[in-house]
Amino acid sequence: MLINCRSAYQSDPTAGNKICDIQKKMARVLVGVKRVIDYAVKVRVKPDKTGVVTQGVKHSMNPFDEIAVEEAVKLKEKKLASEIIAVSVGPTQSQEVIRTALAMGADRGVHVEVSAAEYDLLQPVHVSKILAKLALDEKADLVILGKQAIDDDANQTAQMTAAVLDWPQGTFCNKVEKTDAGLTVVREIDGGLETIKTKMPAVLSADLRLNTPRYATLPNIMKAKKKPLKKVTPKDLGVDTTPRIEIISVEDPPVRQAGAAVADVDALVAKLKDGGHI
């Protein structure tokens, strides 16, 4: 039964306020977190050129996913979300970033476990189907993801997740506000900023300037160890993760040649001609 909170407020201000708060509150927020090579680490290609070196390399949560977690926590602090579920798809080590999200303020985690070999060929289309299924199973009202991962730079998962769910999407979020009608999202675009309004449930992708993620404090890190973390597999969710690509070769980018000073414009033109550039 839907109760008009304004009418309830007029008859009983205390009860009316409570009803308004309940109606504005979102049931659940699902946040995707990915374990990637730390942004400060220099990535090295394997000698056999089948991928990049990951053994013995520092990993951390994808920076854009940290922003997504922070936004979900802020919504909960504003009494606009009642529960935050952090989800990561990957091998056993992916639980590290789930625990980080729990220490930042998420309530519980879901680890969708795949082997390291499968993970190398896992694509956004697979992850989006997994997230969509979990969003439905968990009865989420909002899915917040980082706009892209810094390892593959795909920038596809949020858009595909919205498509699989047939939910509206707000990508490259610079600002998110909850309204009675849904969400008002300010998006970062090439020409500046764009403001859109969307109904819920919805899928959002966090851009760099949406917020500044908090650091997980030691007491919260300890508390996170006791928060529930469920393990499932793609098969449990009915998602086929058969590889759709084959990695042929991974190459280092070409080494940039040193620049050279020229005396004047004529010398510059001559040098460009000699190099076959014009």
Side-chain angles (χ1 to χ4, degrees):
M1 181 177 67
L2 181 64
I3 302 174
N4 186 300
C5 62
R6 182 175 297 177
S7 300
Y9 179 86
Q10 290 173 349
S11 59
D12 187 339
T14 302
N17 282 333
K18 289 182 179 179
I19 293 170
C20 288
D21 288 341
I22 291 170
Q23 289 183 1
K24 290 179 182 178
K25 185 175 290 188
M26 294 183 290
R28 289 187 178 90
V29 181
L30 193 77
V31 184
V33 292
K34 185 178 183 181
R35 180 177 181 266
V36 298
I37 295 177
D38 191 83
Y39 70 92
V41 173
K42 181 176 173 58
V43 177
R44 294 178 292 119
V45 175
K46 291 179 181 178
D48 60 4
K49 298 185 177 181
T50 58
V52 298
V53 177
T54 56
Q55 294 295 326
V57 175
K58 181 183 177 183
H59 286 68
S60 59
M61 187 190 300
N62 177 48
F64 289 105
D65 295 343
E66 288 182 344
I67 296 170
V69 174
E70 176 66 23
E71 193 63 21
V73 174
K74 287 190 173 209
L75 288 172
K76 188 175 179 183
E77 289 174 343
K78 293 175 184 176
K79 310 296 184 184
L80 298 174
S82 60
E83 186 178 34
I84 303 168
I85 307 165
V87 179
S88 188
V89 183
T92 304
Q93 296 91 325
S94 296
Q95 293 185 20
E96 298 169 7
V97 294
I98 297 177
R99 291 296 179 191
T100 300
L102 295 175
M104 290 175 67
D107 298 291
R108 56 188 175 94
V110 178
H111 176 212
V112 183
E113 189 169 20
V114 298
S115 66
E118 288 178 297
Y119 187 62
D120 288 340
L121 296 176
L122 204 67
Q123 294 177 262
V125 66
H126 301 126
V127 178
S128 62
K129 290 179 180 179
I130 290 170
L131 292 173
K133 184 64 168 64
L134 285 171
L136 294 175
D137 290 350
E138 298 289 351
K139 295 180 173 58
D141 292 278
L142 189 64
V143 177
I144 310 180
L145 310 173
K147 74 167 184 177
Q148 65 195 75
I150 62 171
D151 51 3
D152 60 11
D153 274 336
N155 181 21
Q156 297 174 354
T157 306
Q159 293 88 329
M160 288 185 174
T161 302
V164 173
L165 288 167
D166 195 23
W167 287 4
Q169 58 183 286
T171 53
F172 317 124
C173 295
N174 177 280
K175 185 178 180 181
V176 177
E177 289 184 349
K178 176 73 173 66
T179 65
D180 292 338
L183 298 170
T184 298
V185 177
V186 180
R187 302 177 62 241
E188 296 200 18
I189 58 175
D190 290 342
L193 299 174
E194 177 187 53
T195 302
I196 64 170
K197 292 183 178 180
T198 179
K199 295 181 179 179
M200 294 180 58
V203 178
L204 304 179
S205 72
D207 213 322
L208 187 63
R209 281 162 286 275
L210 179 59
N211 58 54
T212 301
R214 69 194 66 193
Y215 289 101
T217 62
L218 183 58
N220 286 334
I221 291 172
M222 300 306 293
K223 290 177 185 177
K225 295 180 179 181
K226 298 181 180 180
K227 290 184 178 181
L229 196 162
K230 182 173 70 173
K231 287 175 61 176
V232 296
T233 65
K235 187 177 180 180
D236 295 333
L237 300 172
V239 177
D240 180 12
T241 56
T242 303
R244 299 188 179 194
I245 59 171
E246 178 185 356
I247 298 175
I248 306 299
S249 178
V250 177
E251 309 278 346
D252 278 310
V255 178
R256 185 176 179 180
Q257 295 182 350
V262 294
D264 50 37
V265 174
D266 291 338
L268 174 61
V269 172
K271 197 164 188 67
L272 290 173
K273 285 183 177 178
D274 291 341
H277 301 297
I278 58 174

